[in-house]
């Protein structure tokens, strides 16, 4: 496993639409393992493949309950509303207020290409929405209400 360089705001790779994964090759497994390691090293709760320069529909999330690896994820239910602080590993040291659904169900494939579902509320719902936005070239900055503020810790960053 190896750490990957996290691309920062302004890098064009963060504005592109990602392509589906059709086959879980050894290279994809390496990418998944590297993304998990990179996310933990950066104290993030989620990381999307474009953030390490790879335009594939793959995200990893860990809100403190162990890593979830999501291949070709889609949101099949989103309801309710939550407004809270949100950050991104591609925008280090900053956070802003973002409104997201408070309850989300997402469908995805795991590393064996089994179809799976995950249901999340609160932070997990927020992380799923945030990371899936990255796969379509969208950053949370588009949704920030008011001004970005400085954070001097990164435990809440996604
Ligand atoms: Ni992000």
């Amino acid at each position: 496993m190896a750490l990957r360089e996290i691309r920062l705001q302004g890098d064009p790779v963060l504005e592109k639409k990602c392509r589906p994964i059709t086959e879980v090759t050894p290279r994809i497994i390496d990418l998944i393992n590297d993304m998990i390691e990179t996310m933990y090293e950066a104290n993030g709760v989620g990381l999307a493949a474009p953030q390490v320069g790879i335009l594939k529909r793959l995200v990893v999330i860990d809100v403190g309950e162990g890593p979830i690896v999501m291949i070709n994820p889609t949101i099949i239910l989103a309801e309710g509303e939550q407004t809270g602080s949100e950050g991104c590993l591609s925008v280090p040291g900053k956070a802003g207020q973002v409104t997201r659904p408070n309850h989300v169900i997402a469908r995805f494939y795991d590393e064996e290409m089994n179809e799976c579902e995950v249901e999340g509320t609160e932070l997990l719902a927020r992380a799923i929405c945030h990371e899936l936005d990255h796969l379509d070239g969208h950053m949370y900055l588009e949704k920030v209400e008011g001004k970005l503020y400085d954070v001097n810790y990164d435990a809440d960053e996604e």
Side-chain angles (χ1 to χ4, degrees), residues 46-48 51 87-91 130-131 134 138-140 158:
L47 189 67
Q51 291 182 276
C88 179
L89 293 177
S90 294
V91 192
H130 177 114
E131 298 312 328
H134 275 299
H138 295 298
M139 303 273 284
Y140 85 101
E158 291 158 17

Side-chain angles (χ1 to χ4, degrees), residues 111-127:
E111 297 106 308
E112 280 89 46
M113 285 306 247
N114 298 310
E115 195 174 60
C116 303
E117 278 183 16
V118 64
E119 179 168 17
T121 59
E122 300 176 6
L123 179 58
L124 181 55
R126 177 179 296 281

